[in-house]
Amino acid sequence: MTANTYINMLTMDILNRIDSGKIQQAGRTGKHNIKQRLPYKDAYIPGFDITGQFQCITYNKGNFHKNTLEIDIVKGYIPWDIVDKINNGAWYSKKDNVYMLDGLYFKKESIPPISQRNLQEVKAEDNVISFGEHNYFKYVSKDGKEHYMHTGKTGFGIVFTEDLRGTLYNHQAARYIRFWNATMTVTGPDLPGRDFEYDEVEGYLKEAGIKPGFFTVNMKESSRTLYYSQNRKTRMVIRKEDYDEQYANLTVKNHLLRDYKPGSIFKINGKEYALSENHTLDIPYGEDIYNMEHPVIPL
């Protein structure tokens, strides 16, 4: 089969499938344009000019190329459901400065600012703070500025459409996000650790309405229980499993306190506890065992 025969066959096939009402004469140029919204599902949409020369739009791993076919670019803002899909990890195409999702073509100027939504701050209830899944919220820093957050498919962080709009990222939002992500991934008693100051950690907890003691962080499908200690010397946020191990060392196992004489007084949050004959302490579960004053061991 020759190239001309192949082109003629394709031309006849397209003429049979394209509504002639959508073919418009383009002045004196002799060109024909097909004005129609391109369906997202099409991977290849052919077009032709008066000479029979084929041109097309192709979608190839996130890119599309525009030649003779025209597209309708959204004027104004795109619908919120499209914004939600982007922030929840939906796949979209981009060519130059034009995005495409679900058959809509739009530029970054058509992405509405998330500040137009009435977003609430996330606060703890009964020492449980829940960031949810596919959820928008705001963080208000000490200077009164609002920072917009989102828990989506890729985790807890900035609102992705704000990034597409070109909104400048800021240090305060980065620190806030980093802290709460750390509470979900911490593998040992290392908060505040080297990344955060005590005042910074205490500030985040108090701002969230979390009181000293056990607290829970819910994020997407994960949940983490930690302990908020008022000890400002070594540890402040401790994993529940680390607390339980230390609690057993003080109340059941006797090797930690064996160098102290029975009757020695230990202070925990100002309360006094006497060491038993078995070298253990009778401490209520949940007491701040990290905020402890030890007696002096006699020489």
Side-chain angles (χ1 to χ4, degrees), residues 88-99:
N88 291 330
W91 180 89
Y92 61 86
S93 308
K94 183 183 180 184
K95 175 63 177 178
D96 297 327
N97 62 341
V98 178
Y99 299 91

Side-chain angles (χ1 to χ4, degrees), residues 131-143:
F131 293 98
E133 183 176 7
H134 303 315
N135 182 43
Y136 297 96
F137 57 94
K138 66 182 178 182
Y139 163 60
V140 182
S141 51
K142 292 181 180 179
D143 56 8

